[in-house]
């Protein structure tokens, strides 16, 4: 029993105090205990502390009282676990406990508390002021003081922070330490400095103005404050300016400003430059040390800061003309800046220095930057360089890419005329001679050979290979070719039953079961997920479970699912044979001769249930989907041979295939296969006979689809966050519900409804693989997907980039939908999509499919809606394309000019980005301003950057007779077109000797 | 081994590293901890190019404080420095284990008064880093690594003690990264102006989620999203932006790659030396756990050469394998294998420009780590428990093929040992196709076929 204030305290009573949450009684009970008495109760207190959270009532004061008991009774071993957080609990009982006890571990405990982000700084300050714990010297004490604004409450409307600090008195000396330590990643001054009386800036200003803190010292200390976090560092810059230093005070602190020029924080550099400008305007700059310090600021990415640095140099040159050469040598670093404006300012200084005569050192400094100089500044710098080199010739520099070898006439003549004409070689030769413009290359995709031996796909050869590749595919599958090869492998090799089948496939079955259990599979028609089910059905020799009809009927993936279902029905019946739709060549093409052979295989096979399998021609079985898919993948090559070989194929299937190959067959009774056959025969042709027999079948049936589109700027909120602008594309003729049937995949592709939120790379590639001859519908869907995520970062759940994949096949024509998908990709914030867009545009320019002239109307139409086209993003993206070669720069300039001409009035606010890039492009390519751009430029009546650039563009006159750039560009274009023509010619000759390789067994 | 396995480690610096005014210039004093002595002192010299070196040290500091992929409470592990007569090397490794950096400062970068030998940790505190940012080219800066006993005996310094948990995967990554360097091939070298343009063109914010490919364009480089033969694979382009502050003052940028592993290394060349930044094949995949060394460790052909090669190490800046071969009579492949194993034990590093290993001894308990190679440990366990069954074996040496059944957790896996590459039916192999080293089943099969018992 222990006497506490006249009453005895037992461990049981202590427990009662704690469990009742009676802090006052507890504190009173512990107040006069000596250390030995406290030790006796320590065990009980520690036990209570350990059990403090048993009561889950959030409002309970039991945990707080348990903490008090530990602080009042226990040793450091237990006390170190007590944290007194800043919020929610009264500090008075804690203070009384610690004051009464003054434990030997108190300083250690305070240090531990300060290390905690939620430290109760007012309590600690009170302990310090009362002398209960020692004065704190640690950085964390200062950090917590700054973070908590010295314990001042934001809601205390009566007392400003300055008054609060004055009341404390002693704390004023501690305030200087705020200037001395680095707060690291802690955001101490976020939102400070807005003049609010509770802000640190107001408080420090008030104390400096009243003389309680030295203003002089604060002026210097704010410049030497060490902060690595940008907003903390910016706070001190703002404080410095708020102290309103005079010019003389700034001059005295020049060295500090110069030191800040090396700061890694751009805002701090900008602040230092502003201060140095004030000093420069007073003519009191210390030039030499300034020149040694300011170089890195000229290379800052932020144009404003680099411009300010150049301005300081201009003032330095004005103040001290005798040091102009040294100033110019420093300014040479600014020639590497991406902005023509910064380069222009630096070039002026260099020109002034060059007027003084030769200077090899300066010339060498400029030489190092020549590769980065923009076209508008280059001639001036080159002229200055010539003067600096004592009159040597002007250097001939250009875009870094090596000029292509000029194609000889003999080389061109050697190409068969058919391919030369189709590849646009002749018109390019004319353009090279100056006999006309060079339009983008348009060609009939069915007139060019697609099947080369280099593009042939090797079918899966053995059962072991099938198991290995299926094992890899169930983990990750992103390639549409591999997907089809696997389906074909299952179709052909699943019947090869081996004695060790179960043992060999047990790991795969085990894995696929786990993946299906763990995955998000319910309701998804993603091809990769469905493939796992297919593998399981093969290994368990069970057909796939029926897929809900509404799912298969909703989208084109339903068609893919039905193909897999048909295959799974066949697997347990040991009916192995080739998959009709498996591509024989990359790009999802099927050699027509191969398809004829495959169909014949099935028709000839004597199997039970023949009507179901061998009777593809009956169209009464699920394999009809495989047949339809196969028709849509027929390559244009070898059709005549295939047609000749297909004469004996039976039934409607044989007739449909012959029709697809160009045969003269009457349209049959099943619309699905005949639509596919018609589209395979002529992707862009019209088939009135289909309408006569079956009525209106929708887009890409009897008539090829065309597209109408419009962009909407609205933001649609969803649970996934704000969506971007929307693109609405409508196929013409429009898709009606009665056009949608499971065997009409093109109708689903043309439905073009809401973009997917969750998709996979395989999904996008499978979409493009449905109809390789005309991926317009796939591009249209892709354009909608990309625009819906226009301003969102990359996402693994919603990939969009792979929509562009078909464009990397140089034989995919640049249709309107292809251009639209690419145009929106180039605007995307998603670095992956934008990057692939850049790659695609580079490829299109290189091989002739884009010369830039059709793009203006697309961007003009997109830009007619606010929020859709950000011209700064477009210009930056196109700049990456322009860097590749003279041809690319020429094409990009045409895109920019076309876009400008297509913009509607009033011009957008960010037009200056476009004008600046166009200005550079026209100078670099020595082209005049196209007349169609004049109206919009003449309509600019405002002042500022846009007006200045508009004026420059209107006044632009290319040097007469300067066609070096154009010639270089046309030579590259010619090389690209000749390469294309040669490739086609080579393919044609190779295919004449190639034998069809049957993979049916 | 659990994912959170860690070694307790205490840095005990006699003072905090700092940059202090010193006469007309400044003194950069780096505090040391660990290695051959508790606080070694082995370098003192004047920097010839202070700004360049400060930029390199700051970039190294950014690497060690960076984490490009989620977890780990660890934020900063101090860099280590290795000194010998010819070069001062600062090495650091990011907390996510996916970025390795090394600043190689050549002898010409200093006017050295003291140039000793050894490896130790150096304190890179926030204040010193902030001060480094203010170093200018015109400054006269003295660098000292450690301090002499007189200075320490003055008693005015405050000991800095930092207790950290070094995750085993971090230590393993730090050592295994050397194995990658030996496989690097130089792809491009571009001048500074082109390097600057390339680094500026890197995406701000989140880069692409899929791999990007750095391709040549004219004299420079371009980031593409399409794979090509000449291109270097990169994922996590934000990691490359660590180089941004270095580019303005560098002379050129070299790009190295190991196409098989997907690793790339970016080397900025300076007057004062070279700065190498090496990035892992994926943002979420550190260099640890890649298992590059596992097959080698499992074969054991390096074991006879190991003690001989180790005895030859004497803090060389360049370990001359030919000279060792001549002295020891060992074959060059054996020596290379032994050096690779020593690399995995933290006893040598690899200098890709020199194409040679250098001696340095990481001041951590590497042996404790090595014993935790989980896949190799599991493989030995499978052999010991008799879960490995050789069903077919033909041929010998490199032409050997074998079919081995290895009991897995739920099913028996079939391992095929083939000259063109081993195969297994387990999910690990199916997923990575051998790109991340051999799985435990392949290792167990190799052990069994080589006739190694579990005790070996």
């Amino acid at each position: 029993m222990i006497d506490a204030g006249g009453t005895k305290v037992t461990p049981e009573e202590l427990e009662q105090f704690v469990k009742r949450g009676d802090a006052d009684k507890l504190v009173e009970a512990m107040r006069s205990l000596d250390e030995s008495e406290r030790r006796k109760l320590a065990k009980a207190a520690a036990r209570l502390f350990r059990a403090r959270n048993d009561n889950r009532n959030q409002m309970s004061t039991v945990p707080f009282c348990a903490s008090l008991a530990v602080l009042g009774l226990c040793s450091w071993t237990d006390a170190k676990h007590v944290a007194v957080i800043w919020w929610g609990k009264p500090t008075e009982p804690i203070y009384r406990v610690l004051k009464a006890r003054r434990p030997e571990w108190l300083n250690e405990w305070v240090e531990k508390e300060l290390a905690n982000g939620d430290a109760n700084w007012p309590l600690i300050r009170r302990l310090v002021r009362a002398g209960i714990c020692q004065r704190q010297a640690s950085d964390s004490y200062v950090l917590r003081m700054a973070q908590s604004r010295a314990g001042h409450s934001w809601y205390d409307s009566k007392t400003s922070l300055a008054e609060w600090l004055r009341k404390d008195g002693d704390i004023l000396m501690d305030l200087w330490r705020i200037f001395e330590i680095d707060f690291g990643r802690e955001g101490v001054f976020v939102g400070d400095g807005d003049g609010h009386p509770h802000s640190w800036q107001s408080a420090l200003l008030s104390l400096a103005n009243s003389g309680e803190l030295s203003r002089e010292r604060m002026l210097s200390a704010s410049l030497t404050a060490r902060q690595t976090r940008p907003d903390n560092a910016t706070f001190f810059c703002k404080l410095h300016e708020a102290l309103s230093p005079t010019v003389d005070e700034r001059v005295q602190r020049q060295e500090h400003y110069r030191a800040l020029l090396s700061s890694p924080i751009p805002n701090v550099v900008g602040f230092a430059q502003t201060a140095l400008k004030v000093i420069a305007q007073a003519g009191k700059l210390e030039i030499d040390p300034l020149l040694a310090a300011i170089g890195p600021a000229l290379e800052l990415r932020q144009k404003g800061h680099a411009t300010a640095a150049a301005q300081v140099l201009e003032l330095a040159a004005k103040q001290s003309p005798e040091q102009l050469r040294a100033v110019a040598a420093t300014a040479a670093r600014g020639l590497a800046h991406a902005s023509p404006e910064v380069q222009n300012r630096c070039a002026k200084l260099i020109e002034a220095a060059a007027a003084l005569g030769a200077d090899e050192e300066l010339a060498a400094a400029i030489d190092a930057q020549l590769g980065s100089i923009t076209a508008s500044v280059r001639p001036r710098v080159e002229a200055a360089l010539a003067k600096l080199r004592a009159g040597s010739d002007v250097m001939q520099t250009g875009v870094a890419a090596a000029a292509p070898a000029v194609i000889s006439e003999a080389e061109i003549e050697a190409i068969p005329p058919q391919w030369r004409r189709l590849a646009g070689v002749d018109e390019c030769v004319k353009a090279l001679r100056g006999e006309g413009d060079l339009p983008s290359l348009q060609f009939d995709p069915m007139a060019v050979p697609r099947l080369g031996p280099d593009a042939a796909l090797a079918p899966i050869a053995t059962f072991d290979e099938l198991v290995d590749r299926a094992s890899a595919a169930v983990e990750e599958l992103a390639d549409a070719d591999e997907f089809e090869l696997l389906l074909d492998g299952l179709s052909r090799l699943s019947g090869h039953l081996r004695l060790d089948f179960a043992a060999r496939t047990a790991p795969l079955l085990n894995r696929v079961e786990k993946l299906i259990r763990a995955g998000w599979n319910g309701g998804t028609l993603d091809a990769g997920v469905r493939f796992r089910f297919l593998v399981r059905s093969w290994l368990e020799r069970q057909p796939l479970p029926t897929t809900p009809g509404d799912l298969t009927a909703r989208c084109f993936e339903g068609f893919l699912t039905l193909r897999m279902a048909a295959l799974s029905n066949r697997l347990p019946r040991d009916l192995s044979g080739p998959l009709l739709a498996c591509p024989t060549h990359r790009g999802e093409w099927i050699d027509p001769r191969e398809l004829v052979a495959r169909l014949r295989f099935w028709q000839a096979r004597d199997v039970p249930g023949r009507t179901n399998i061998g009777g593809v021609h009956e169209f009464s079985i699920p394999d009809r989907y495989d047949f339809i898919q196969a028709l849509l993948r027929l390559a244009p090559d070898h059709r005549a041979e295939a047609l000749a070989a297909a004469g004996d194929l039976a039934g409607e299937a044989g007739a449909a295939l012959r029709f697809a190959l160009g045969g003269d067959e009457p349209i049959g009774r099943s619309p699905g296969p005949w639509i596919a056959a018609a589209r395979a025969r002529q992707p862009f042709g019209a088939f009135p006979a289909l309408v006569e027999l079956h009525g209106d079948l929708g887009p890409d049936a009897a008539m090829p689809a065309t597209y109408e589109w419009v962009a909407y700027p609205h933001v649609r909120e969803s649970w996934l966050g704000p969506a971007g602008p929307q693109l609405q594309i409508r196929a013409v003729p429009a898709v009606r519900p009665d056009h949608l049937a499971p065997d009409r995949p093109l109708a689903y592709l043309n439905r073009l409804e809401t973009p997917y939120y969750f998709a996979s790379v395989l999904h996008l590639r499978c979409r493009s693989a449905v109809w390789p001859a005309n991926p317009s519908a796939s591009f249209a869907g892709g354009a909608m997907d990309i625009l819906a995520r226009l301003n969102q970062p990359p996402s693994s759940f919603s990939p969009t980039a792979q929509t562009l994949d078909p464009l990397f096949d140089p034989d995919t024509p640049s249709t309107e939908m292809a251009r639209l998908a690419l145009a929106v990709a180039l605007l995307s914030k998603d670095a992956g999509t934008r990057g692939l867009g850049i790659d695609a545009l580079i490829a299109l320019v290189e091989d002739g499919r884009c010369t830039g002239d059709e793009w203006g109307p697309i961007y003009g139409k997109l830009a007619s809606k606010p929020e859709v086209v950000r011209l700064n993003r477009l210009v930056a993206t196109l700049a990456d394309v322009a860097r590749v070669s003279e041809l690319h720069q020429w094409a990009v300039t045409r895109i920019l000019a076309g876009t400008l001409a297509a913009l509607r009035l009033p011009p957008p606010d960010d037009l200056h980005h476009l004008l600046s890039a166009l200005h550079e492009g026209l100078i670099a390519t020595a082209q005049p301003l196209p007349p169609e751009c004049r109206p919009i430029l003449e309509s600019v009546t405002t002042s500022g950057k846009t007006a200045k650039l508009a004026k420059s563009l209107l006044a632009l006159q290319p040097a007469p007779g300067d066609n070096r750039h154009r010639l270089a560009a046309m030579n590259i274009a010619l090389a690209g077109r000749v390469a294309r023509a040669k490739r086609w010619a080579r393919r044609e000759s190779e295919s004449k000797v190639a034998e069809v390789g049957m993979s049916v067994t | 081994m659990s994912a959170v396995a860690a070694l307790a480690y205490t840095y005990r610096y006699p003072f905090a590293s700092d940059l202090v005014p010193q006469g007309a210039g400044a003194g950069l004093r780096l505090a040391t901890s660990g290695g051959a002595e508790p606080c070694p002192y082995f370098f003192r010299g004047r920097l010839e190019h202070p700004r360049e070196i400060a930029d390199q040290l700051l970039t190294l500091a950014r690497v060690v404080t960076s984490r490009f992929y989620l977890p780990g409470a660890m934020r900063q592990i101090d860099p280590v420095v290795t000194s010998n007569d010819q070069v001062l090397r600062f090495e650091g490794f990011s907390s996510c284990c996916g970025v390795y950096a090394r600043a190689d400062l050549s002898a010409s970068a200093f006017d050295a008064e003291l140039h000793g030998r050894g490896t130790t940790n150096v304190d890179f505190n926030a204040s010193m880093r902030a001060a480094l940012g203010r170093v200018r080219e015109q400054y006269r800066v003295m660098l000292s690594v450690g301090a002499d006993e007189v200075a320490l005996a003055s008693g005015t310094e405050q000991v800095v003690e930092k207790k950290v948990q070094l995750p085993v995967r971090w230590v393993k990554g730090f050592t295994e990264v050397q194995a990658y360097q030996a496989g690097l091939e130089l792809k491009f070298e571009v001048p500074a102006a082109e390097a600057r343009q390339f680094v500026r063109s890197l995406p701000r914010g989140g880069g692409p989620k899929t791999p990007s490919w750095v391709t040549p364009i004219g004299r420079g480089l371009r980031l593409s999203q399409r794979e090509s033969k000449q291109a270097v694979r990169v994922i996590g382009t934000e990691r490359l932006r660590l180089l941004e502050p270095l580019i303005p003052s560098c002379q050129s940028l070299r790009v190295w790659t190991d196409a098989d592993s997907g690793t790339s290394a970016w080397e900025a060349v300076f007057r004062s030396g070279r700065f190498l930044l090496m990035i892992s094949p994926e943002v979420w995949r550190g260099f640890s756990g890649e298992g590059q060394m596992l097959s080698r460790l499992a074969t054991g052909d390096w074991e006879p050469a190991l003690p001989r090669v180790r005895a030859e190490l004497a803090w060389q800046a360049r370990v001359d394998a030919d000279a060792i071969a001549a002295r020891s009579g060992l074959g060059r492949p054996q020596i290379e294998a032994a050096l690779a194993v020593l690399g995995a034990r933290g006893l040598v590093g690899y200098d890709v420009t020199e194409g040679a290993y250098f001696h340095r001894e990481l001041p951590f308990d590497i042996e404790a780590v090595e014993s935790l190679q989980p896949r190799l440990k599991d493989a030995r366990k499978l052999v010991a428990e008799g879960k490995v069954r050789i069903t077919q074996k033909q041929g010998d040496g490199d032409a050997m093929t074998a079919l081995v059944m290895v009991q897995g957790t739920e099913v028996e896996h079939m391992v095929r040992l083939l000259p063109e590459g081993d195969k297994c039916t387990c999910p690990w192999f199916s997923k990575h196709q051998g790109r991340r080293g051999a799985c435990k089943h392949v290792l167990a099969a190799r052990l069994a076929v080589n006739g190694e018992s579990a005790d070996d």
Side-chain angles (χ1 to χ4, degrees), chain A residues 182 185 226 258-259 262 292-293 299 301 336-338 368-369 400-401 468 471-472 475 504 506-507 510-511 514 794 796 805 808 831-832 835-836 838-839 842 883-884, chain B residues 65 75 126-127 133-134 136 138 193 196-197 200 203-204 206-209 217-219 221-222 224-226 244 248 410-414 416 423 425 427 430-431 433:
Chain A
D182 183 1
R185 299 181 188 208
R226 294 176 169 192
R258 286 197 302 266
S262 332
E299 292 174 352
R301 191 184 181 94
H337 200 279
Q369 314 292 359
D468 287 346
S471 300
E475 301 292 338
R504 178 68 182 87
N510 184 269
R511 180 62 181 160
K514 278 188 182 166
S796 303
D805 279 354
F808 292 95
L836 203 68
I838 291 170
D839 292 334
I842 288 171
R883 280 175 59 211
V884 174
Chain B
T65 52
R75 273 199 184 156
S127 301
R134 290 196 278 271
R136 297 215 299 272
Q138 293 69 32
R196 185 167 43 216
Q197 205 152 30
R200 273 186 193 155
R204 318 299 288 181
K209 296 277 183 192
I217 163 183
R219 293 173 65 210
L221 300 172
R222 181 176 86 77
S224 166
Q225 296 306 114
R226 299 281 293 176
E244 202 164 2
E410 290 165 0
V411 290
E412 194 170 42
H413 292 293
M414 187 171 83
R416 282 158 289 164
K423 289 188 173 178
T425 54
S430 298
K431 203 168 182 175
Q433 299 291 307

Side-chain angles (χ1 to χ4, degrees), chain B residues 80-109:
Chain B
V80 297
V81 60
T82 301
S83 173
N84 58 46
D85 304 347
Q86 294 168 36
V87 63
L88 197 58
R89 300 181 200 266
F90 291 87
E91 287 175 272
F93 199 46
S94 66
S95 293
C96 59
C97 307
V99 184
Y100 167 80
R102 193 178 68 229
D104 292 340
L105 307 177
S106 60
S108 63

Side-chain angles (χ1 to χ4, degrees), chain A residues 268-616:
Chain A
V268 174
V269 179
F271 154 76
Q273 286 167 340
T274 309
L276 287 165
K277 264 161 73 175
V278 175
I279 298 169
Q281 278 155 358
K284 293 181 177 176
L285 271 182
E286 292 165 3
I287 306 287
D288 286 335
L290 171 78
L291 296 182
I294 205 166
L298 287 162
E299 292 174 352
L300 281 176
R301 191 184 181 94
Q302 291 78 3
K303 188 174 79 175
H305 295 326
T307 307
Q311 284 171 338
V312 173
L313 286 179
E314 286 164 8
L315 291 166
K318 195 173 165 188
Q319 178 190 314
S320 193
E322 69 281 5
Q323 286 176 288
L324 180 58
R325 283 173 186 277
V327 171
T330 306
R333 290 182 74 167
L335 294 177
H337 200 279
S339 158
E341 205 175 320
V342 176
Q343 290 190 9
N344 189 35
R345 282 183 178 276
C346 294
K348 278 183 188 164
L349 287 166
I350 289 165
E351 283 174 315
L356 300 176
D359 183 338
E360 264 307 317
E361 208 173 317
L362 177 56
I366 296 165
D367 244 355
Q369 314 292 359
L370 269 181
S372 313
I373 300 174
T374 56
S376 61
V377 180
R378 178 181 291 273
R380 289 164 49 207
V381 174
E382 287 176 347
L385 201 53
K387 288 182 191 168
L388 291 166
R389 293 227 163 98
S392 65
D393 289 341
V394 174
M395 287 185 62
Q396 297 293 326
T397 55
V399 178
V406 176
I407 309 287
S408 69
E409 281 190 24
E411 200 177 341
I412 294 170
E413 287 299 319
I415 303 168
Q418 169 202 1
W419 300 126
R420 216 170 58 208
R421 204 169 36 254
L422 202 58
V425 173
D426 295 341
E427 60 190 0
C428 194
V429 170
K430 280 185 188 169
L432 191 56
R433 289 180 187 144
E435 294 171 8
D437 201 3
L438 182 64
S440 298
L441 180 62
Q442 302 292 336
F443 55 89
D444 176 2
M446 301 308 284
V448 299
R450 301 289 187 137
L451 310 178
D454 53 329
L457 292 170
I460 293 173
T462 64
F463 176 80
D464 277 338
E465 190 186 348
L466 174 64
V467 175
D468 287 346
R469 282 167 70 167
S471 300
V474 297
E475 301 292 338
E476 189 177 3
L477 184 55
D479 185 80
D481 283 338
E482 176 70 3
F483 174 69
E484 292 288 349
L485 288 171
L486 281 162
L487 296 190
D488 177 59
L490 288 171
S491 177
R492 285 185 296 108
L493 302 167
S494 60
H496 294 201
L497 272 186
R498 308 182 344 171
L499 288 176
D500 65 346
F501 181 86
R504 178 68 182 87
T505 58
L508 175 57
L509 179 59
N510 184 269
R511 180 62 181 160
V512 88
E513 287 281 11
K514 278 188 182 166
L515 287 168
I516 287 170
R517 276 201 303 272
W520 179 44
N521 304 309
T524 178
L525 291 179
D526 181 90
V529 174
R530 302 309 302 175
F531 179 73
R532 290 175 183 165
F533 284 97
L534 178 64
V535 169
R536 185 176 68 176
S537 86
W538 164 49
L539 299 177
E540 290 183 338
R541 306 188 64 73
Q542 295 290 326
L544 273 176
T546 311
T547 311
D550 60 328
L551 274 176
T552 51
R554 200 180 293 163
C555 49
F556 87 89
E557 293 91 333
F559 176 71
L560 201 58
T561 307
L562 289 169
R563 280 183 64 208
M564 283 195 264
L567 178 58
S568 87
N569 279 331
R570 191 146 51 77
L571 298 181
R573 299 161 61 194
D574 297 340
L575 297 175
S576 56
L579 192 74
L580 293 173
C582 181
T584 57
H585 289 73
R586 277 202 302 276
E588 307 300 329
W589 293 107
I590 299 178
D591 186 328
R593 298 170 299 179
E594 173 80 14
L595 182 57
V596 170
R598 287 175 185 172
L599 193 56
R600 179 175 293 114
F601 171 89
W602 282 112
Q603 290 194 346
R605 186 163 175 189
D606 184 18
V607 291
R610 179 183 166 81
T611 49
N612 281 346
I613 299 301
V616 169

